[in-house]
Amino acid sequence: MVEQDNRNQGGNQLDNQGEIKADGSDKRPVSSMAIVSLVLGIVALLASFFKEVGLVALCLGGLGVICSLLGFFFARSGGRHKGKVMVIFGLVMSLLAIVVALFMHGGFSQPFVMPTFRFWPAPSVA
């Protein structure tokens, strides 16, 4: 009975099931995998719009998907961490980056090669 009264007074702690109380205060730390997946998703999505770094965008997007899946299970297990929404946004951005990088490059039909940059004009053959 006393335990129920303490839970209903709106303190800053989680209840026995690990859910957030009605006052909205949540002292759980954000999962580090959630932050990593969100950052990787953003960087991969920005890089996917440039054809020259399509392979980098694919690698970052793949790492973002892996970190998102790990972060989702870490945030879900035991209720010790929060950040499920960041993980979901990171997963969506990583998958979108992979799709955009494939379409910008032309799909699987063309190999991913590094572009060659010329800083001086080629010598002319006379």
Side-chain angles (χ1 to χ4, degrees), residues 21-70:
K21 291 197 166 201
D23 62 354
S25 62
D26 189 8
K27 299 290 183 180
R28 297 180 296 166
V30 177
S31 173
S32 59
M33 283 292 183
I35 296 170
V36 169
S37 69
L38 185 64
V39 169
L40 282 174
I42 291 171
V43 172
L45 188 60
L46 290 175
S48 67
F49 288 108
F50 300 103
K51 188 175 181 178
E52 291 82 18
V53 290
L55 184 60
V56 173
L58 281 176
C59 292
L60 290 177
L63 285 174
V65 168
I66 291 170
C67 288
S68 297
L69 294 176
L70 289 174

Side-chain angles (χ1 to χ4, degrees), residues 82-98:
K82 61 182 180 178
K84 290 181 196 172
V85 174
M86 287 186 358
V87 168
I88 292 171
F89 278 127
L91 179 66
V92 168
M93 284 193 220
S94 297
L95 291 174
L96 188 63
I98 291 172

